[in-house]
Amino acid sequence: MSEKETLLLAGGLALLSFLLILPLQNRMLIGLSVVAVVIAATYPFTKRFFAVPQAYLGVAFGFGIPMSYAAHLEYIPVEAWLLMLANVFWAMAYDTEYAMVDRADDLKIGIKTSAITFGQRDVARSWPATA
């Protein structure tokens, strides 16, 4: 696929997803869906600015939690936010472990990851310690 085709496909799928929410006629859910699109669209850029982009990834993955509560209850209870917070920590843990093997390459290309940020606390440090 070309870059243009990829962007068109992503835009088309995002629009289709939004159209699926409209029949619910829930203003809170529609507003949350706009926030979710912004979070999902901006995640790829976080590795250039945030020391722990995995936390942002956790928000992107977990944003469906408050959205599902809003869809069903038409409000978002505290436990939905707590579940989302737990999801953020879970995503940070698994994606940090996953990113451990790429630390040296990430340092070379200048992106940030939690594997680099927390790298000094890794048990087996076989990568360059200078960040």
Side-chain angles (χ1 to χ4, degrees):
M1 287 181 70
S2 71
E3 185 177 332
K4 181 180 179 181
E5 291 170 330
T6 303
L7 291 172
L8 286 172
L9 178 62
L13 290 172
L15 179 61
L16 180 62
S17 298
F18 183 69
L19 292 174
L20 290 171
I21 289 175
L22 290 178
L24 297 175
Q25 297 179 355
N26 181 326
R27 286 183 172 209
M28 177 183 284
L29 186 60
I30 292 169
L32 289 171
S33 70
V34 172
V35 173
V37 167
V38 170
I39 291 169
T42 56
Y43 166 69
F45 303 103
T46 59
K47 290 187 176 190
R48 291 166 178 79
F49 306 108
F50 299 128
V52 186
Q54 285 76 4
Y56 200 89
L57 177 68
V59 172
F61 280 177
F63 209 73
I65 296 168
M67 287 182 71
S68 63
Y69 276 85
H72 182 67
L73 302 174
E74 296 189 6
Y75 72 96
I76 304 171
V78 173
E79 65 261 19
W81 297 113
L82 294 174
L83 284 169
M84 185 173 145
L85 181 63
N87 187 80
V88 169
F89 285 115
W90 177 80
M92 284 178 56
Y94 88 77
D95 204 55
T96 297
E97 180 65 28
Y98 181 75
M100 293 283 186
V101 296
D102 296 326
R103 285 184 291 202
D105 293 332
D106 291 344
L107 285 168
K108 284 180 190 174
I109 62 174
I111 63 171
K112 297 171 178 23
T113 69
S114 57
I116 294 169
T117 303
F118 303 138
Q120 299 301 325
R121 289 158 190 85
D122 188 9
V123 176
R125 289 194 334 230
S126 61
W127 62 284
T130 57

